[in-house]
Amino acid sequence: VKVNQVAYVPGLAKVATLVSSSGSPVAWTLKNSSGTTVASGQTTVRGADTLSGDNVHLIDFTSYDTAGTGYVLSAGGSNSYPFDISADPVKRLRYDALAFFYHQRSGIAIDAQYVTSTYARPAGHLNVSPNQGDNNVPCRTSCGYTLDVRGGWYDAGDQGKYVVNGGIAAWQLLNIYERAISVAGADASALGDGKMAIPERANGIPDVLDEARWEVEFLLKMQVPDGRTNAGLVHHKIHDQNWTGLPTRPNQDSQPRLLSPVSTAATLNLAAVAAQAARIFRTIDPTFSARALAAAEKAYAAAKANPNRIADPNDGTGGGSYSDSTLTDEFYWAAAELYVTTGSATYRTDVTGSSLYKGAGFTKGYDWGWTAGLGDTTIALVSNGLPAADIAATRTAMTGFADRLLTQVATQGYPAPFATTNAAYYWGSNGQVANNADVLALAYDFTGQEKYRTGVFQTLDYLLGRNPLNQSYIAGYGEKAVRNVHHRFWANQNDGSLPIAPPGSFSGGPNAGLDDPIAQAQLAGCKSQKCFIDDIGAYSVNEVAINWNSGLAWLASWAAEKSGT
Ligand code: 9MR
């Protein structure tokens, strides 16, 4: 019996999945922590499930709604892991998923007072031996200058810093806040100053904005300064010359650090995120806001003058390539952010003239390689001067996407709003599941229709254990939570010298592509939702990454708000 191993929220739907080949309903019981049966019923037969290969039944125990801990569901001779009926865990998850970003910070010591001594570590990449530092980083292919690109977040289990992935992750953290101050009835109070365990927790600025700004400041440093060739364009990424092994704590990395060439995609990412930050910080920190806007406008102009600088897909030694050859979406996103921030006619013409305008590109949720939805979301959420009918059409496109997700999950044994075929489960599926569920949440914001909220919480059920492997993909959450995520510091050494990933870290999840040797050796022939192994070497299924954790943080933050007291 596969359940959300953490908690179902009182007042909301509660459904579990039973694996059973029986063609007729079977009896289920729900016992409380003293072993007393508190509810019982009959399963609903669902039959063969495409994405797992399992024969499944559904157990709907929504009608039992008494808060408590240690519940166990039993059916067909099997028991679930114990779980709670409570809103508390999702409220913790909001902050744990956000804490991931402080843990991933580069260029600053991670302090025990915020993360406990288990997760404290020296600063990485400040030119303290053996680090070569991000202080004066030269170009991989010579460019005649070096840049100081200290700071930012490490991308994932590696210590590269990639503008296109940093951009979407920073945008999402900023959007958590911007949504909360834009949607009627939303609650920004949980996002204020002093809510997170970070060094800026008493500076009078909402902590989630402080955390996002840590990355935005880094992104700004990746822009080629005036007076240099390619001024205004942005370097695609900075990372090690060669891949480092596991484990390598950030301050122990001795590899040379190098800037990859500029790209139009990175330039438009900076334009979009810096424009968004300029808007949000306008009254909070006018000086920073003005600096960010100037950089954004310069980047946008440089991208328009250089519309086709594609990052080399083969530049993948020592770091990921993050190459993307379709830039219509980045142009649309950047124009949308700049227009909503400035109201200027040039950006307006570029937004309304885009083939993606009014949600025409809303074919997936937030994704580093497909950013149209980020522009749509800003247009749909933040007050702006576009025609009301066009804003309404954008929202309709977003709810239409949400409806298609709900149609997909309606037939699944383990509902996950992502894909309907086994082959479609790619690297980072969990990240996309979360990033699609964020759109279900916005559809609820726009319409108030219960089906979307149900879809959001059902997605959390999947990620927290209601899946064919009975696996919670969020560290620290659930009886069988991931322990061995691919990470150079959280490398879970047997001698206890290095920790497991901290609570709230989010594994990339099932990947039918089996893109690493361990996955290939262990998982051949798997059905998509079973193409996963909690092995530290299996980087194509079990790594963490900022763009996945940002989708989860957005989701958990929304779900916490909607969970009542
Ligand atoms: O998330 C990225 C995924 O979309 C790509 O298919 C994959 C292969 O290029 O790379 C993923 O990103 C990784 C990056 O290249 C390096 N840092 C770790 C990232 C997560 O695994």
Side-chain angles (χ1 to χ4, degrees):
V1 180
K2 317 293 174 61
V3 295
N4 175 332
Q5 296 165 20
V6 179
Y8 291 87
V9 173
L12 301 180
K14 300 176 203 72
V15 184
T17 303
L18 168 70
V19 180
S20 166
S21 51
S22 166
S24 350
V26 301
W28 60 263
T29 58
L30 176 67
K31 292 194 170 71
N32 66 16
S33 56
S34 351
T36 308
T37 298
V38 293
S40 57
Q42 296 282 312
T43 62
T44 306
V45 180
R46 195 34 98 55
D49 178 56
T50 307
L51 301 176
S52 62
D54 292 345
N55 283 301
V56 299
H57 295 205
L58 303 185
I59 301 172
D60 187 336
F61 60 107
T62 304
S63 58
Y64 185 78
D65 208 34
T66 306
T69 60
Y71 289 105
V72 174
L73 266 176
S74 306
S78 99
N79 296 327
S80 73
Y81 282 122
F83 59 88
D84 298 353
I85 297 179
S86 168
D88 296 340
V90 73
K91 290 175 184 288
R92 273 201 309 280
L93 180 59
R94 153 189 261 175
Y95 298 116
D96 283 342
L98 283 169
F100 175 84
F101 295 90
Y102 175 63
H103 285 283
Q104 289 289 100
R105 284 192 196 184
S106 178
I108 187 173
I110 303 307
D111 194 319
Q113 70 173 299
Y114 308 116
V115 297
T116 75
S117 57
T118 306
Y119 293 105
R121 60 170 172 81
H125 300 101
L126 289 183
N127 202 21
V128 176
S129 177
N131 275 175
Q132 302 204 20
D134 289 350
N135 312 48
N136 289 294
V137 182
C139 298
R140 200 167 267 264
T141 51
S142 94
C143 60
Y145 56 84
T146 62
L147 290 184
D148 175 353
V149 292
R150 286 174 288 176
W153 301 315
Y154 298 124
D155 189 56
D158 64 319
Q159 289 149 21
K161 302 189 293 190
Y162 311 90
V163 170
V164 295
N165 215 41
I168 166 176
W171 181 94
Q172 280 194 293
L173 261 54
L174 292 170
N175 187 258
I176 289 173
Y177 180 80
E178 197 167 37
R179 172 208 161 262
I181 59 169
S182 304
V183 171
D187 178 15
S189 66
L191 299 165
D193 196 29
K195 297 290 184 184
M196 289 166 56
I198 57 174
E200 302 82 4
R201 61 176 301 158
N203 67 356
I205 296 172
D207 290 334
V208 69
L209 299 185
D210 289 321
E211 191 57 64
R213 181 173 174 172
W214 183 262
E215 179 72 3
V216 176
E217 293 280 6
F218 157 73
L219 297 173
L220 291 166
K221 293 176 179 175
M222 293 290 278
Q223 188 169 35
V224 179
D226 288 345
R228 302 289 186 184
T229 312
N230 295 326
L233 291 169
V234 176
H235 286 276
H236 197 65
K237 52 181 188 155
I238 178 253
H239 58 72
D240 292 323
Q241 183 164 43
N242 290 296
W243 289 106
T244 55
L246 288 172
T248 303
R249 212 170 57 180
N251 64 305
Q252 292 163 342
D253 172 13
S254 60
Q255 282 289 315
R257 304 277 281 178
L258 296 170
L259 291 164
S260 287
V262 295
S263 73
T264 308
T267 305
L268 290 166
N269 261 263
L270 174 72
V273 178
Q276 177 202 28
R279 180 170 74 234
I280 295 170
F281 279 90
R282 192 177 278 143
T283 54
I284 296 173
D285 185 340
T287 310
F288 171 62
S289 169
R291 178 159 62 89
L293 184 57
E297 300 212 80
K298 189 185 293 180
Y300 189 74
K304 286 194 81 169
N306 297 273
N308 213 13
R309 302 278 193 102
I310 304 300
D312 179 359
N314 298 313
D315 181 9
T317 302
S321 63
Y322 281 111
S323 183
D324 176 9
S325 54
T326 304
L327 301 179
T328 340
D329 51 320
E330 280 85 3
F331 271 109
Y332 173 66
W333 175 33
E337 297 295 347
L338 278 159
Y339 174 68
V340 172
T341 299
T342 64
S344 123
T346 325
Y347 304 126
R348 181 187 176 107
T349 305
D350 288 357
V351 175
T352 58
S354 168
S355 60
L356 302 177
Y357 186 47
K358 294 189 276 185
F362 218 108
T363 50
K364 53 159 73 169
Y366 314 113
D367 179 332
W368 68 264
W370 187 245
T371 59
L374 288 78
D376 289 327
T377 300
T378 291
I379 288 171
L381 277 177
V382 186
S383 139
N384 68 75
L386 292 169
D390 293 4
I391 295 170
T394 306
R395 288 186 170 204
T396 301
M398 293 175 69
T399 53
F401 174 70
D403 288 334
R404 293 197 293 282
L405 293 176
L406 292 183
T407 303
Q408 285 177 12
V409 297
T411 56
Q412 294 176 359
Y414 307 95
F418 172 52
T420 51
T421 64
N422 283 293
Y425 261 72
Y426 55 68
W427 191 321
S429 69
N430 280 344
Q432 204 59 48
V433 165
N435 276 301
N436 286 346
D438 293 347
V439 186
L440 295 175
L442 287 169
Y444 182 83
D445 283 346
F446 297 156
T447 67
Q449 287 181 40
E450 189 54 41
K451 62 182 180 180
Y452 299 118
R453 181 166 67 165
T454 303
V456 171
F457 283 90
Q458 183 171 260
T459 303
L460 282 168
D461 295 344
Y462 170 83
L463 297 174
L464 291 166
R466 186 190 168 197
N467 56 58
L469 296 177
N470 221 0
Q471 175 75 56
S472 167
Y473 292 110
I474 302 174
Y477 283 77
E479 296 286 311
K480 185 184 167 196
V482 286
R483 295 180 56 83
N484 304 303
V485 303
H486 181 82
H487 198 277
R488 281 164 178 69
F489 172 42
W490 307 325
N492 193 12
Q493 295 299 283
N494 289 332
D495 62 5
S497 59
L498 290 173
I500 66 167
S505 310
F506 184 30
S507 169
N511 168 15
L514 304 181
D515 295 303
D516 70 73
I518 290 174
Q520 282 156 14
Q522 303 292 326
L523 300 170
C526 53
K527 291 290 184 192
S528 58
Q529 288 188 349
K530 291 181 174 170
C531 297
F532 175 82
I533 183 168
D534 183 19
D535 185 305
I536 192 167
Y539 53 83
S540 78
V541 301
N542 200 27
E543 192 162 357
V544 291
I546 51 176
N547 59 317
W548 306 332
N549 243 93
S550 59
L552 177 68
W554 200 109
L555 189 66
S557 195
W558 190 94
E561 180 191 292
K562 299 299 178 207
S563 289
T565 49

